[in-house]
Amino acid sequence: MTAVTRVRTSQEVLCWGRDLLDPALRAEVDRLPAGARLVAGYHIGWWDACGAPIEGVSGKAIRPALCLLTASAICTDPTVAVPAAVAIEMVHNFSLLHDDVMDGDVLRRHRPTAWSVFGLGPAILAGNALLLAAFDAIAASGHTCAQSSRRALSAAVMALVDGQILDLEFERREDVGVAEASRMARAKTGALLGCSCALGALFGGARAAQVKQMSAFGERLGFAFQLVDDILGIWGDPARTGKAVYSDLASRKKSLPVVAALGSETAAGAELAHMYRGSKPLSEPELAHAATLIERAGARSWAEAQAEDHLAQALGYLQGAGLSGPAVGELAALAEMVTNRDN
């Protein structure tokens, strides 16, 4: 395969990654039982609730792109890591299917969520099927790193589950601190992005030290990504996020900016705490006021600064991995893109 000789834009990289990923991902989803296949394909954005093909609603596939780019930076042939990229994307979609159920979200990518269309049970079971298929995809690759990659993926899923449990626990508690919320974000989001890069390194034949560096790059990037996602969950444009305005505040979600505001010891933080203690659904004006309180407490600027700091840490690990070629610049550019809250 001819090596890439120029640094592509992040949009070009995402399209390239999607082109490599989709045929193999579709083949894996086609192997699912019929009911799970219908729900999974609907959720991913390939067809409508009746199975009729549609276009233009799939996600960006950032995690597979990171996996494929990392492999490309090591061995110049990203196709060796396609099974790993498929596994990562299936795990990611498993988590999203279950997240939407647990959070009660009715919109994802500007369309009804799978559980709201097919019911809770089918959505949960489709997620389970994707998770199992992810491990099968790695095992079936026949790669010499398959066993170590399955262990790495298992550890990432365990961390993701731990983070989700903490996220749900926070909904019942008033005394959530920034350190706890940060641990939750690192587990829920950072672990899978770290695994994406680690699997790309493993399938590309990287040295152990490089695998470690790339895993750290992904983990720090994941934390920055979560901070940006939390910012968008409060102040994001629904036309871009695909979710209802103030969706995180409407569910009284204790995202990182909210937790920082609640612990700020400011008048705005105290008023926000009073609003969060209630059980009555918040009106649109109340939601807008809650968002303003978080800003007044300094939590929005804190979250933005934290995101920038962790992005810088991620880029430091990337630089320290000892990789070369255009893919390294593309990894850096992709990291910048996914942590740009204007995207």
Side-chain angles (χ1 to χ4, degrees):
M1 183 172 180
T2 304
V4 177
T5 57
R6 71 174 180 87
V7 176
R8 298 163 293 186
T9 68
S10 293
Q11 288 301 327
E12 287 175 328
V13 165
L14 290 173
C15 290
W16 161 83
R18 176 63 77 183
D19 287 344
L20 284 177
L21 172 75
D22 268 0
L25 180 60
R26 284 178 180 270
E28 290 295 335
V29 171
D30 280 346
R31 294 188 184 98
L32 299 180
R37 176 185 178 276
L38 177 63
V39 177
Y42 170 87
H43 166 78
I44 293 170
W46 292 336
W47 46 70
D48 64 19
C50 298
I54 59 174
E55 294 183 2
V57 294
S58 295
K60 293 178 179 178
I62 291 165
R63 291 156 188 82
L66 288 170
C67 178
L68 295 166
L69 270 182
T70 301
S72 184
I74 293 162
C75 71
T76 73
D77 182 6
T79 62
V80 299
V82 167
V86 168
I88 287 290
E89 185 68 358
M90 286 195 289
V91 167
H92 177 53
N93 280 286
F94 139 77
S95 73
L96 294 182
L97 278 163
H98 286 199
D99 266 3
D100 287 342
V101 169
M102 288 181 280
D103 294 344
D105 287 337
V106 296
L107 284 178
R108 179 172 292 280
R109 301 177 191 135
H110 312 287
R111 62 202 293 253
T113 49
W115 75 265
S116 69
V117 173
F118 298 98
L120 295 174
I124 292 169
L125 292 170
N128 293 344
L130 286 171
L131 177 62
L132 293 170
F135 287 93
D136 282 347
I138 290 179
S141 72
H143 198 287
T144 55
C145 74
Q147 185 174 356
S148 57
S149 294
R150 289 179 73 186
R151 287 198 298 268
L153 185 60
S154 177
V157 172
M158 290 295 187
L160 189 156
V161 169
D162 181 46
Q164 184 62 33
I165 288 172
L166 284 173
D167 198 15
L168 293 172
E169 179 187 322
F170 292 168
E171 294 178 7
R172 304 189 302 271
R173 288 174 45 193
E174 295 182 12
D175 59 337
V176 178
V178 169
E180 283 184 298
S182 297
R183 177 195 155 199
M184 179 272 291
R186 289 188 175 94
K188 186 176 176 181
T189 306
L192 192 56
L193 265 76
C195 186
S196 301
C197 298
L199 292 193
L202 285 167
F203 273 76
R207 302 188 305 273
Q210 290 176 312
V211 175
K212 186 175 181 180
Q213 287 286 117
M214 292 308 297
S215 178
F217 161 71
E219 288 172 1
R220 297 305 191 282
L221 175 59
F223 187 64
F225 181 86
Q226 184 60 57
L227 281 157
V228 171
D229 193 59
D230 286 348
I231 292 168
L232 291 173
I234 299 172
W235 297 282
D237 180 355
R240 293 186 176 185
T241 65
K243 292 187 175 184
V245 66
Y246 306 130
S247 59
D248 284 358
L249 297 181
S251 60
R252 290 182 169 84
K253 187 179 182 67
K254 291 187 177 69
S255 61
L256 281 160
V258 170
V259 170
L262 292 174
S264 65
E265 298 184 352
T266 62
E271 186 176 349
L272 180 69
H274 177 74
M275 294 180 72
Y276 258 60
R277 279 194 291 268
S279 57
K280 180 183 176 182
L282 298 172
S283 65
E284 281 292 320
E286 288 172 326
L287 291 170
H289 183 57
T292 300
L293 290 174
I294 295 168
E295 287 200 70
R296 288 179 185 169
R300 180 173 185 172
S301 58
W302 170 85
E304 291 169 350
Q306 285 289 306
E308 291 175 4
D309 179 58
H310 281 81
L311 172 61
Q313 291 181 37
L315 295 175
Y317 280 110
L318 175 61
Q319 185 177 11
L323 306 179
S324 61
V328 179
E330 291 168 353
L331 280 163
L334 187 58
E336 295 271 5
M337 190 210 80
V338 301
T339 54
N340 180 352
R341 62 183 179 274
D342 293 327
N343 282 314

